[in-house]
């Protein structure tokens, strides 16, 4: 009986000591701590050039900008400028280029013709000045107005000329040339043959400023001369009067002498 109790006690102790080891073996391993990868920064939003704002401050381009806004062509150009893969090239005539032409040159155009004229001043692709040299070998180059409205580019000793039917201006300066937008200033308006059957007349030359006319009032020199002449006349007249008085006095004395002798 005592031996059974001893065996039972030994079994209980064995179970108690073996339980923690069995629990450790049966429990799953703790998961390894997760390493959080850094979240990538969002890509910066593309920078779009505001064409209206640029043209309003970059130079004397107010006439061209007014036409762009009047016909909504500015929206067409802006949409193309926002296309960073293709871009746009715009030739912008200065205000003096429009002032050199008669006002009827543009007022006689229909709204569609005016819109076409403005589209004629742009290429639907970005071109740097360096690319114009290679582009000249591909003349004529299509404009934003479509295939009938083309331009010829020529490189003359580093100077780039843009040739339409009735004008061939040289690029005066680069206003902005960072892809996808290129803007170049012109001293003349590009005039396609499809819109102008003959060379448009120039604006009349401004009337010359009136010369400062001679005043009717005598000049100081003339007045001085007149004063001098008048003074000489007065002195001569005074001398004549003094001589006449002296002669009369002499006659009176002579008569008085004769009377005394007769007396």
């Amino acid at each position: 009986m005592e031996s059974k109790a001893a065996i039972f006690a030994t079994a209980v102790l064995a179970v108690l000591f073996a339980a923690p080891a069995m629990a450790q073996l049966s429990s799953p391993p703790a998961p390894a701590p997760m390493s959080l990868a850094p979240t990538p920064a969002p890509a910066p939003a593309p920078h779009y050039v505001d064409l209206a704002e640029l043209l309003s401050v970059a130079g004397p381009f107010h006439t061209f900008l007014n036409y762009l806004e009047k016909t909504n062509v500015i929206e067409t150009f802006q949409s193309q400028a926002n296309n960073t893969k293709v871009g746009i090239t715009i030739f912008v005539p200065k205000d003096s280029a429009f002032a050199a032409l008669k006002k009827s040159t543009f007022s006689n155009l229909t709204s569609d013709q005016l819109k076409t004229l403005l589209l004629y001043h742009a290429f639907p692709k970005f071109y740097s000045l360096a690319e114009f040299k290679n582009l000249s070998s591909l003349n004529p180059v299509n404009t934003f107005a479509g295939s009938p409205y083309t331009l010829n580019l020529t490189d003359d000793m580093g100077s780039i000329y843009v040739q339409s039917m009735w004008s061939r201006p040289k690029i005066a300066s680069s206003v902005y040339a960072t892809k996808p937008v290129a803007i170049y200033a012109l001293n003349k308006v590009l005039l396609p043959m499809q819109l102008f059957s003959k060379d448009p007349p120039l604006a009349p030359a401004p009337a010359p400023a009136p010369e400062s006319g001679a005043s009717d009032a005598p000049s100081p020199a003339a007045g001085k001369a007149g004063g001098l002449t008048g003074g000489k006349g007065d002195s001569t007249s005074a001398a004549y009067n003094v001589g006449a008085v002296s002669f009369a006095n002499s006659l009176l004395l002579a008569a008085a002498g004769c009377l005394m002798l007769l007396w």
Side-chain angles (χ1 to χ4, degrees):
M1 187 70 179
E2 294 178 355
S3 61
K4 290 182 179 181
I7 294 172
F8 178 77
T10 302
V12 170
L13 290 175
V15 171
L16 291 176
F17 283 113
M22 293 296 293
Q24 184 176 3
L25 291 174
S26 61
S27 62
M34 296 178 62
S35 60
L36 299 177
T39 304
H47 172 68
Y48 296 134
V49 178
D50 189 328
L51 296 180
E53 181 180 358
L54 178 61
L55 293 177
S56 65
V57 299
F61 307 129
H62 302 294
T63 304
F64 188 72
L65 178 57
N66 288 340
Y67 282 134
L68 289 178
E69 293 177 335
K70 177 182 177 181
T71 58
N72 293 326
V73 171
I74 187 67
E75 297 178 3
T76 302
F77 285 173
Q78 186 64 62
S79 176
Q80 185 70 16
N82 294 348
N83 186 344
T84 56
K85 292 183 179 180
V86 182
I88 189 172
T89 301
I90 307 174
F91 301 105
V92 185
K94 298 179 180 179
D95 289 345
S96 57
F98 286 96
L101 296 169
K102 207 169 182 179
K103 290 185 177 180
S104 59
T105 302
F106 306 105
S107 61
N108 290 337
L109 295 177
T110 65
S111 59
D112 288 341
Q113 288 175 330
L114 180 59
K115 184 176 181 179
T116 299
L117 177 64
L118 299 173
L119 293 172
Y120 184 64
H121 283 74
F123 291 148
K125 187 177 179 181
F126 172 85
Y127 291 107
S128 65
L129 283 173
E131 291 176 303
F132 281 139
K133 185 174 182 180
N134 297 329
L135 192 63
S136 61
S137 62
L138 303 176
N139 287 329
V141 182
N142 290 336
T143 66
F144 226 117
S147 57
Y149 297 90
T150 58
L151 291 171
N152 290 322
L153 299 173
T154 55
D155 181 2
D156 186 2
M157 303 294 289
S159 297
I160 305 299
Y161 291 85
V162 187
Q163 183 173 356
S164 62
M165 181 63 188
W166 302 113
S167 60
R168 185 177 177 264
K170 181 178 74 172
I171 292 180
S173 63
S174 174
V175 179
Y176 187 92
T178 301
K179 197 171 184 178
V181 175
I183 299 178
Y184 304 107
L186 301 180
N187 290 323
K188 292 183 179 179
V189 181
L190 299 175
L191 303 169
M193 179 181 61
Q194 291 84 353
L195 298 179
F196 304 97
S197 58
K198 59 182 180 179
D199 193 0
L202 300 176
E211 297 181 1
S212 55
S215 174
D216 294 337
S219 64
K224 185 176 180 181
L228 290 174
T229 304
K232 185 177 180 181
D234 292 343
S235 61
T236 303
S237 176
Y240 175 79
N241 292 335
V242 171
V245 171
S246 299
F247 180 73
N249 289 336
S250 299
L251 288 179
L252 289 175
L253 291 174
C258 291
L259 289 176
M260 291 180 66
L261 289 176
L262 290 175
W263 182 262

